[in-house]
Amino acid sequence: LDGGASITVSFAVTVGVDGTFSSQATASWKSSLTTLTTTSNIASGTRDTVAPHLVFLVQPASSTAGATMSTVKVEVLDHNNNLVNTSASISLAVTGGAAVLNGTTTANAAAGIATFSTLSIDAAGTFTLDASSSGDTSATSTSFSIGAGSLDHITIAPSSSSITAGGSQTYTATGFDSFDNSLGDVTGATTFSASTDASCAGASCGATKAGTYTITATNGAAETTASLTVVAGSIDHVVISPVSTTITADTTQIYALEAFDAFNNSLGDVTASSTFAGSGTASCSGNVCGSTTAGTFTITGSFGATSADASLTVAAASLDQVVIAPKNASVTAGATQAYTLTAFDVFGNTRGDVTSSASFSASGTATASCTDNACGSPETGTLTITGTFATKSDSATLAAYMPTMLAGN
């Protein structure tokens, strides 16, 4: 080498995206007389590769159902945890339950960092987020909670039930937000009311009158209803009908017996399973009662240990006969005898004195006669006195005698 000569050596390493690499060394010798350059391949092959990995730079924070979560950031780091300057597409997904992650869930990284600022979850619970990107190792966030939102609606339980009259049904109310996340039992903060004839004391509602009622639960602006059916209780008493009636001796009265609970709710007609009896001469065949004797009777209907009484008045039947009185009498000639006429039915029940409406006639002597109900003859003799009412008649014997005959002269 002359005094002005120099040697320059340089190295070049080329690395492919597929992990292959090659290296070259170039030496240059230069003097005042000449320049010589030579290049040699030193090595080539494939390097060990470590894929970039994702890391949550800003973890998800707890929030409320449906509300926008605070911003979440995911970064791309190399194997030495250095930020990778990439615009890779990064996606987020929620795990835990059946929750759905809403908002923009896929974003391109800017200088290796992807930002998510519109995320929300409608379901309440505890969740994690998974970050993924093609070719990069995925990441899982720390867990966070989504709480239920404010009260939107309530449910009442039971929604439909049946109780006996005088009893009560206890209700519970459960609150929910607008996404149907449960807020738990809100019975204590709920007011219960009932439709007409039913009432509520706190969360217990009932009625003494049988029927179907609407129970309303109210909590703020939230309201819901339930159906409450009240049925009659056990038998307490029976009612006979008709309770008072009048028939004639030749007819009968049909009775019915209805059962009721202690609150007077009907348990229905129990006639077919009841027994009936009458006082005095009244009698019953099944639920058909009557008497051939005129008068007032008590009809008793019995069902099990309960019974009820009715008043039955039996009047005389239609006119069957009349009876004149007296049947045998005697008066002095020229005097008169007063008669009465009484009507009777076929059973011998009196229909009352019909004298004023009756006609009377006399026969036996040429001068026998009646003025109204007073009959006699100026002549002596045996008279036949006939009283007539409607189509019925009866006769009596009247003897007209001389005063001397009565004195025994």
Side-chain angles (χ1 to χ4, degrees):
L1 297 176
D2 59 21
S6 64
I7 298 176
T8 301
V9 179
S10 61
F11 296 90
V13 178
T14 301
V15 180
V17 295
D18 58 355
T20 61
F21 68 91
S22 62
S23 60
Q24 292 181 330
T26 302
S28 297
W29 177 70
K30 182 178 182 182
S31 68
S32 58
L33 298 178
T34 185
T35 296
L36 179 62
T37 299
T38 182
T39 299
S40 299
N41 292 323
I42 299 175
S44 63
T46 303
R47 66 180 175 88
D48 292 334
T49 60
V50 177
H53 59 283
L54 304 180
V55 174
F56 278 87
L57 177 62
V58 178
Q59 295 282 352
S62 294
S63 184
T64 302
T68 300
M69 300 166 58
S70 57
T71 299
V72 175
K73 293 185 178 182
V74 178
E75 60 182 351
V76 184
L77 302 180
D78 64 14
H79 65 287
N80 288 318
N81 288 329
N82 297 309
L83 184 64
V84 176
N85 186 7
T86 179
S87 60
S89 176
I90 299 175
S91 297
L92 296 182
V94 63
T95 59
V100 176
L101 185 63
N102 303 310
T104 302
T105 59
T106 299
N108 292 324
I113 299 175
T115 301
F116 302 87
S117 58
T118 62
L119 302 177
S120 68
I121 297 175
D122 293 343
T126 301
F127 308 99
T128 58
L129 295 182
D130 287 336
S132 61
S133 180
S134 178
D136 298 332
T137 303
S138 61
T140 299
S141 73
T142 56
S143 62
F144 59 95
S145 297
I146 300 295
S150 59
L151 180 69
D152 177 75
H153 59 281
I154 59 176
T155 61
I156 186 174
S159 60
S160 179
S161 59
S162 179
I163 61 172
T164 55
S168 62
Q169 174 66 59
T170 299
Y171 291 92
T172 58
T174 303
F176 296 87
D177 66 12
S178 59
F179 301 102
D180 222 26
N181 296 302
S182 176
L183 290 163
D185 190 317
V186 295
T187 305
T190 301
T191 300
F192 296 85
S193 60
S195 56
T196 304
D197 293 326
S199 62
C200 296
S204 294
C205 304
T208 57
K209 183 178 180 181
T212 300
Y213 302 93
T214 298
I215 306 301
T216 301
T218 305
N219 189 316
E223 185 174 284
T224 191
T225 60
S227 177
L228 175 64
T229 299
V230 177
V231 298
S234 58
I235 185 171
D236 177 75
H237 62 280
V238 290
V239 172
I240 192 171
S241 60
V243 69
S244 179
T245 189
T246 298
I247 62 173
T248 56
D250 57 347
T251 62
T252 55
Q253 177 64 53
I254 298 174
Y255 287 91
L257 206 64
E258 186 175 1
F260 294 85
D261 68 7
F263 300 103
N264 225 31
N265 296 301
S266 177
L267 289 162
D269 189 307
V270 293
T271 304
S273 302
S274 301
T275 58
F276 295 84
S279 64
T281 60
S283 62
C284 298
S285 176
N287 64 322
V288 181
C289 304
S291 174
T292 58
T293 303
T296 299
F297 305 93
T298 298
I299 304 300
T300 301
S302 301
F303 178 75
T306 61
S307 63
D309 293 336
S311 177
L312 176 65
T313 299
V314 178
S318 59
L319 178 65
D320 178 72
Q321 58 180 311
V322 291
V323 174
I324 194 170
K327 276 289 190 180
N328 294 284
S330 60
V331 294
T332 59
T336 59
Q337 171 68 49
Y339 286 91
T340 61
L341 200 66
T342 304
F344 294 88
D345 67 9
V346 68
F347 304 106
N349 298 303
T350 180
R351 291 179 55 86
D353 188 318
V354 294
T355 305
S356 62
S357 301
S359 61
F360 294 85
S361 62
S363 62
T365 67
T367 57
S369 65
C370 295
T371 300
D372 294 329
N373 64 323
C375 302
S377 174
E379 301 176 73
T380 61
T382 301
L383 309 181
T384 298
I385 308 301
T386 302
T388 301
F389 175 74
T391 60
K392 306 298 180 181
S393 299
D394 192 25
S395 297
T397 299
L398 177 64
Y401 58 89
M402 294 300 292
T404 56
M405 295 175 60
L406 182 63
N409 293 324

